[in-house]
Amino acid sequence: MARHSAMLSLAERALEAWAECRPEGMTLPEDRFAPERLSALLSGIASHIPGGCSSPESARRLHELFNSKDQQKESSPVFLGMLKPCNGQVHFLNFWLAFSEASRIVAGPEPQITALEEELRRLCDRISQMLDAENVEGSSCRRQSVRATVLGEAIQAVAAVSSEPGFWTAVANSMAGLEDEAGELGPEEVAVVTLSWLHDAVAWQQISGGTVVEEAQSPPSATSRQDLFLNVYDVSQEERVQKLNKVLAHKNSPLKFGGVFHVGVEIDGLEWSYGCSTVETVPGVSCTLPRQHPQHHFRQTIGGRRTQLSPEDVADIISQMIEEYPGDDYDLLRRNCCHWADDFCQRLGVSRIPGWVHRLARVPLLF
């Protein structure tokens, strides 16, 4: 069983709070902060802060962070300043960092985190400072970015004094590929990359010897009936997603930091997957030709799986899942294409989908 991670739990709560703010991709637009909306927006975020009602003192701290200091509300709530709006907009990276800091303030004494997670938190703070430095000159915000080479140097500095230098060496090696793809990263790319590092930092500490390994694949059975393949796509057709996935989960690399993926299950010449649908006549579970999903960019195929079930049994399972996974039940956080594919594989009696495919299943809500 995975070890509980306080830092990872906060990141997941931040993602849930972010989704409820109805962002536009990686940003909260200026109209979300209009006076008539601000109170409801901050109240919704505050409801996700852990421990806000655990004691009178925690409740007081929560109120001070998310409410104006005077009854006339002429002063802005403290949390609003922590978000570091730029030209009226808030990037998810700043939202995540502000949410985490607010949680620490409300909770009082900080919950125990590992040395590796503390190193990652300090690196996130350092990256935020680098991005802020882009806007020191002038009164208006420019597009924030940090050069990949500078970020690589910051990672090397962490590795030099780390309790887990092997982990940071792997991170630095992945950054080398990113330097070849783009000279700089904006808050969007940084947020996805750091979320991936957080998931893998937790996994790294659970494996002896400090090596992230893939889940074991079930060996083919001599009595197997049908071959099964997982077709992995970069979510959407956006080039920035393809760029990030190329670095975080290179198809030829044995060490894969989680990327942002869509996945379909191919069996008997057809590819099945799950997606959102708001039309009753259009099911959530759909079928396409293998490796040709129209909304996503095909990346790679993972084979080596076989099911002992007959074609009739497989058809029955698909029929059941069409009923159990309606399109309007799709949820980016808790019930998406990766969850469906994992469930389908288990019902077929084969191994679960690899962790690196599933690891950032929540992140597509940022795009």
Side-chain angles (χ1 to χ4, degrees), residues 115-116 119 122 154-166 168-169:
L116 183 56
E119 291 165 5
R122 291 201 303 267
I155 294 170
Q156 294 285 5
V158 173
V161 296
S162 173
S163 60
E164 296 283 356
W168 292 111
T169 298

Side-chain angles (χ1 to χ4, degrees), residues 105-166:
I105 293 173
V106 170
E110 187 172 3
Q112 183 178 3
I113 63 175
T114 67
L116 183 56
E117 291 171 340
E118 174 61 26
E119 291 165 5
L120 178 58
R121 192 180 74 182
R122 291 201 303 267
L123 178 61
C124 288
D125 290 339
R126 176 65 185 130
I127 295 172
S128 179
Q129 293 171 7
M130 293 178 189
L131 292 169
D132 290 343
E134 291 292 313
N135 294 315
V136 171
E137 297 181 4
S139 57
S140 63
C141 291
R142 299 177 293 172
R143 184 187 185 277
Q144 296 174 305
S145 64
V146 57
R147 292 192 61 80
T149 53
V150 174
L151 182 54
E153 292 170 357
I155 294 170
Q156 294 285 5
V158 173
V161 296
S162 173
S163 60
E164 296 283 356

Side-chain angles (χ1 to χ4, degrees), residues 54-70:
S54 60
S55 69
E57 181 63 20
S58 295
R60 182 187 64 80
R61 295 192 188 110
L62 185 68
H63 184 271
E64 290 178 349
L65 283 172
F66 287 88
N67 292 273
S68 301
K69 293 183 179 179
D70 55 74

Side-chain angles (χ1 to χ4, degrees), residues 4 14 21 44 54 90 98 133 138 153 188 229 262 309 323 332 348 354:
H4 172 74
C21 292
S54 60
V90 172
E153 292 170 357
E188 301 91 345
F229 305 92
H262 168 82
L309 300 180
E323 296 296 324
L332 281 167
L348 293 176

Side-chain angles (χ1 to χ4, degrees), residues 77-259:
V78 174
F79 184 78
L80 193 60
M82 295 168 64
L83 292 174
K84 300 179 181 178
C86 180
N87 289 333
Q89 296 184 336
V90 172
H91 283 287
F92 172 73
L93 179 64
N94 288 336
F95 181 92
W96 175 21
L97 294 176
F99 186 94
S100 299
E101 179 62 22
S103 298
R104 289 192 287 271
I105 293 173
V106 170
E110 187 172 3
Q112 183 178 3
I113 63 175
T114 67
L116 183 56
E117 291 171 340
E118 174 61 26
E119 291 165 5
L120 178 58
R121 192 180 74 182
R122 291 201 303 267
L123 178 61
C124 288
D125 290 339
R126 176 65 185 130
I127 295 172
S128 179
Q129 293 171 7
M130 293 178 189
L131 292 169
D132 290 343
E134 291 292 313
N135 294 315
V136 171
E137 297 181 4
S139 57
S140 63
C141 291
R142 299 177 293 172
R143 184 187 185 277
Q144 296 174 305
S145 64
V146 57
R147 292 192 61 80
T149 53
V150 174
L151 182 54
E153 292 170 357
I155 294 170
Q156 294 285 5
V158 173
V161 296
S162 173
S163 60
E164 296 283 356
F167 173 80
W168 292 111
T169 298
V171 171
N173 289 340
S174 73
M175 286 301 302
L178 192 55
E179 292 168 11
D180 295 336
E181 292 295 315
E184 58 185 32
L185 290 82
E188 301 91 345
E189 292 85 358
V190 170
V192 175
V193 168
T194 50
L195 275 172
S196 176
W197 293 343
L198 173 56
H199 279 265
D200 285 284
V202 174
W204 182 276
Q205 296 165 103
Q206 297 172 22
I207 301 172
S208 60
T211 302
V212 177
V213 298
E214 293 301 318
E215 291 82 350
Q217 301 293 324
S218 299
S221 168
T223 60
S224 295
R225 302 292 184 89
Q226 297 189 83
D227 290 322
L228 181 147
F229 305 92
L230 296 179
N231 292 326
V232 182
Y233 298 78
D234 301 308
V235 164
S236 80
Q237 298 285 355
E238 291 195 24
E239 290 186 4
R240 61 174 174 164
V241 176
Q242 298 169 29
K243 177 184 68 177
L244 285 167
N245 287 347
K246 184 175 181 180
V247 174
L248 295 172
H250 194 284
K251 62 183 179 182
N252 295 324
S253 173
L255 176 63
K256 290 180 169 63
F257 294 89

Side-chain angles (χ1 to χ4, degrees), residues 3-11 111-113 117 202:
R3 179 188 64 81
H4 172 74
S5 165
M7 189 174 178
L8 182 56
S9 294
L10 278 180
Q112 183 178 3
I113 63 175
E117 291 171 340
V202 174

Side-chain angles (χ1 to χ4, degrees), residues 313-352:
D313 291 335
V314 172
D316 287 342
I317 290 174
I318 292 173
S319 296
Q320 293 171 12
M321 297 189 75
I322 289 175
E323 296 296 324
E324 295 173 14
Y325 283 81
D328 58 2
D329 202 31
Y330 185 93
D331 188 292
L332 281 167
L333 297 178
R334 302 176 183 86
R335 195 173 174 84
N336 58 37
C337 65
C338 292
H339 298 107
W340 180 89
D342 197 47
D343 187 7
F344 189 28
C345 285
Q346 292 182 73
R347 297 191 194 197
L348 293 176
V350 301
S351 56
R352 306 182 68 167

